[in-house]
Amino acid sequence: PRDIADLRDQPLGVMTMVARRLKALQDSRGKDTPPVTIVAHSMGTFIANELVRRFPSLRIRNFVYMAGADSIQSTLDSVIPY
């Protein structure tokens, strides 16, 4: 998949490190992986939206956005595919 290459090619920032570790955990446990919930507040919604746009194969079940600062359109574009 496209995002596996993205995981290797992304700059080594915190978001990429989290995505790599989460993907490795999900791959190692397969269907036994517990559901993942993304919780973001205010400016964190920018990061959460970018995370799911860059790494669409991460298996995420729930999104909890509190007082999201990112636009509604950006959030819809990011979250609706899930």
Side-chain angles (χ1 to χ4, degrees), residues 21-76:
R21 288 183 185 214
L22 180 57
K23 182 70 175 145
L25 176 66
Q26 289 179 337
D27 289 346
S28 70
R29 292 193 176 181
K31 292 185 179 185
D32 294 332
T33 304
V36 173
T37 297
I38 299 289
V39 179
H41 176 264
S42 190
M43 295 295 285
T45 59
F46 286 99
I47 296 165
N49 287 340
E50 189 63 23
L51 176 74
V52 298
R53 273 195 296 267
R54 286 190 190 186
F55 309 108
S57 74
L58 293 175
R59 294 186 302 272
I60 300 168
R61 180 171 290 174
N62 300 302
F63 295 86
V64 178
Y65 286 180
M66 300 168 289
D70 205 355
S71 72
I72 293 171
Q73 189 61 54
S74 177
T75 300
L76 290 174

